[in-house]
């Protein structure tokens, strides 16, 4: 059930959709962006609600999901800004990523007892004030409650065995996590979420001006320090041997005790012990020269260092992780010869690059605004936010994130010869309404058109089904896919 004929099921007078009893699946994007939709009851004969099935419906106020429904897909109700409450039957065992994200009026929701996981961004930017998770929930994924600005209470049952610290990012009213005394995995005290044995640190409430990592901690997990909301100095103790978190811009200095065998601090910046990896730059300078020992720049190492305008990369650099330079004033970068790995995400905010002629992996064209593989067959990144773009004729593969967040892009020409469009290649190109894909295409990766909110036509010069995976994350689902042969 995913075509434009679905829209005939709505009673325009009441704004109510009645799902026929013979329907077992509501397809991807089936009722996205339906003008005037106000309420819907999904009967138990429906087993699956597809990705984006009801997303982007600003007038939808009431949803009842009856006993028998088993799965709600990713972003199924995302951005339904008038939705205040939803009742979900206990038969629902899977609630997908971003399912209720940006439902900015949502104050009441129940988590079914059969649900094992709170998915990525599932309740982000809602208005819930408390959430009581039932016994049976096992995982709380990244950003599950992010930007829930009214959230004051979270009750975590004994069955939870995985929590990603970023689950609670930007929840300023949350002061406590109530963890069942029978939970063998987690403890919460003195604003710190840790493993019961004290070896793993998962989250610190973002209201501390000096963060002292306890001596028992060996691993600082992802998200632990990402959303700290006041200026703070971080002191890392001697037993810390792994750091997965990225760091809030408000952590202004990082100190490491001298007898830690794994990490060191230099001028308040964090490195591994032999200074081959830089984890975080905390200084407030306009320029910085990365030590020549550094071979890898970790994710978000320079993010949101707002004054930084000039950065010199070291000759020995090999790997640049994602989101490294966003939120800086750096406009141009010189990429040295030994760099062998990065994605377009590391260049968010960068206007142009030069790449050493001795680099065996990459080259830059069009005044440094386009990055290609050395042989010219892979389009790695477009740095300019253009309204129109013609893919170079040599290209056979469009790399993941190549057009990420190109918010001005309205028209793109993909020539015959392109064979592969990789996962997430066009994520968040929100002005793109139509894309024509040539007959040479063989593979389109999962979520290639994820969050392309206005993309209503994907025209493919092939027979239906010759390319697998449709609609490749497009919010309008199969309603947007047209086969030309």
């Amino acid at each position: 059930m995913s075509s434009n004929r679905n829209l005939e099921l709505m009673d325009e007078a009441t704004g109510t959709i009645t799902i026929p009893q013979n329907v077992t699946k509501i397809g991807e994007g089936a009722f996205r962006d339906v003008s005037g939709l106000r309420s819907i009851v999904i009967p138990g004969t429906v087993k699956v609600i597809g990705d984006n099935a009801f997303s982007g419906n600003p007038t939808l106020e009431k949803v009842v999901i009856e006993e028998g429904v088993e799965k709600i897909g990713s972003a199924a109700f995302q951005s339904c800004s008038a939705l205040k409450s939803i009742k979900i039957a206990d038969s629902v065992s899977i609630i997908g990523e971003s399912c209720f994200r940006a439902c900015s009026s949502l104050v009441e929701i129940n988590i079914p007892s059969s649900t094992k996981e709170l998915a990525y961004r599932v309740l982000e930017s809602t208005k819930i004030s408390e959430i009581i998770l039932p016994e049976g929930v096992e995982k709380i994924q990244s950003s599950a409650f992010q930007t829930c600005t009214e959230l004051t209470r979270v009750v975590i049952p004994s069955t939870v065995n995985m929590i990603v610290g970023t689950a609670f990012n930007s929840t300023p009213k949350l002061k406590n996590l109530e963890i069942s005394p029978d939970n063998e995995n987690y403890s919460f005290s003195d604003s710190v979420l840790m493993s019961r044995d004290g070896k793993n640190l998962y989250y610190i409430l973002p209201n501390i001006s000096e963060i002292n990592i306890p001596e028992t901690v060996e691993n600082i997990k992802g998200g632990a320090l990402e959303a700290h909301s006041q200026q703070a100095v971080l002191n890392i103790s001697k037993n810390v041997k792994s750091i997965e978190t990225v760091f809030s811009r408000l952590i202004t200095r990082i100190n490491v005790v001298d007898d830690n065998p794994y990490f060191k601090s230099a001028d308040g910046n964090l490195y591994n012990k032999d200074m081959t990896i830089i984890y975080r730059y905390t200084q407030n300078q306009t320029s910085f020269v990365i030590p020549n020992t550094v071979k890898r720049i970790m994710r978000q190492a320079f993010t949101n260092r707002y004054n930084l305008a000039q950065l010199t990369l070291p000759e020995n650099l090999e790997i640049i992780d994602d989101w490294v330079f966003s939120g800086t004033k750096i406009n141009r970068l010189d990429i040295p010869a030994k760099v062998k790995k990065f994605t377009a995400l590391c260049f968010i905010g960068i206007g142009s690059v030069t790449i050493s002629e001795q680099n065996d992996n990459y080259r830059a064209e069009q005044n440094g605004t386009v990055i290609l593989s050395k042989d010219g067959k892979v389009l790695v990144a477009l740095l300019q936010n253009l309204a129109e773009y013609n893919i170079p004729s040599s290209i056979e593969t469009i790399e993941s994130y190549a057009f990420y967040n190109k918010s001005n892009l309205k028209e793109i020409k993909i020539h015959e010869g392109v064979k592969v469009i990789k996962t997430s290649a066009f994520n968040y190109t929100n002005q793109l309404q139509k894309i024509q894909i040539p007959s040479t295409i063989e593979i389109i990766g999962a979520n290639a058109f994820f969050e392309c909110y206005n993309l209503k036509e994907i025209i493919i010069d092939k027979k239906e089904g010759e390319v697998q995976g449709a609609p490749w994350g497009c919010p309008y689902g199969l309603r947007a896919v047209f086969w030309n042969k």
Side-chain angles (χ1 to χ4, degrees), residues 123-263:
L123 290 167
E124 180 184 348
S125 299
T126 62
K127 285 294 191 293
I128 57 170
S129 59
E130 73 170 28
I131 192 84
I132 300 173
L133 302 180
E135 290 289 330
V137 173
E138 297 177 358
K139 303 180 190 307
I140 303 174
Q141 296 286 5
S142 174
S143 305
F145 303 104
Q146 181 168 299
T147 325
C148 291
T149 55
E150 300 302 316
L151 187 64
T152 60
R153 184 182 184 221
V154 178
V155 178
I156 297 174
S158 65
T159 50
V160 169
N161 56 38
M162 191 193 87
I163 301 174
V164 180
T166 51
F168 309 106
N169 277 6
S170 302
T171 52
K173 294 184 180 180
L174 183 63
K175 306 300 181 187
N176 188 32
L177 300 174
E178 299 177 31
I179 299 178
S180 167
D182 298 323
N183 189 299
E184 298 178 354
N185 303 295
Y186 297 99
S187 66
F188 183 83
S189 62
D190 299 325
S191 300
V192 179
L193 175 66
M194 298 176 65
S195 56
R196 284 284 182 188
D197 61 9
K199 293 183 179 181
N200 300 307
L201 189 151
Y202 296 95
Y203 183 64
I204 296 178
L205 286 182
N207 55 359
I208 301 170
S209 60
E210 185 166 4
I211 305 167
N212 296 305
I213 304 300
E215 290 284 338
T216 60
V217 171
E218 296 180 1
N219 309 299
I220 302 176
K221 294 293 188 176
L225 298 164
E226 185 170 332
H228 212 75
S229 58
Q230 76 173 68
Q231 285 197 353
V233 172
L234 172 63
N235 300 312
I236 296 177
S237 52
K238 66 180 181 180
N239 293 314
V240 173
K241 60 184 180 182
S242 77
I243 298 175
E244 299 171 14
T245 188
V246 296
F247 299 91
S248 164
R249 68 178 180 83
L250 293 175
I251 294 177
T252 56
R253 184 177 181 85
I254 300 174
N255 301 314
V256 182
V257 295
D258 291 339
D259 54 350
N260 183 300
Y262 303 99
F263 299 98

Side-chain angles (χ1 to χ4, degrees), residues 222-321:
L225 298 164
E226 185 170 332
H228 212 75
S229 58
Q230 76 173 68
Q231 285 197 353
V233 172
L234 172 63
N235 300 312
I236 296 177
S237 52
K238 66 180 181 180
N239 293 314
V240 173
K241 60 184 180 182
S242 77
I243 298 175
E244 299 171 14
T245 188
V246 296
F247 299 91
S248 164
R249 68 178 180 83
L250 293 175
I251 294 177
T252 56
R253 184 177 181 85
I254 300 174
N255 301 314
V256 182
V257 295
D258 291 339
D259 54 350
N260 183 300
Y262 303 99
F263 299 98
K264 72 178 296 182
S265 175
D267 299 319
N269 305 318
L270 179 63
Y271 300 84
N272 66 341
K273 197 67 172 183
D274 62 5
M275 294 186 71
T276 56
I277 300 173
I278 182 169
Y279 284 82
R280 183 61 177 167
Y281 169 80
T282 64
Q283 294 171 275
N284 200 29
Q285 299 174 347
T286 58
S287 63
F288 182 67
V289 177
I290 300 177
N292 208 40
T293 54
V294 170
K295 295 182 178 181
R296 181 176 184 179
I297 305 173
M298 293 295 285
R299 184 172 181 261
Q300 295 191 26
F302 292 88
T303 298
N304 294 332
R305 305 322 299 166
Y306 298 133
N307 288 333
L308 187 62
Q310 184 175 347
L311 184 67
T312 301
L313 303 182
E315 292 181 1
N316 289 313
L317 185 65
E318 297 177 359
I319 298 172
I320 308 173
D321 284 5

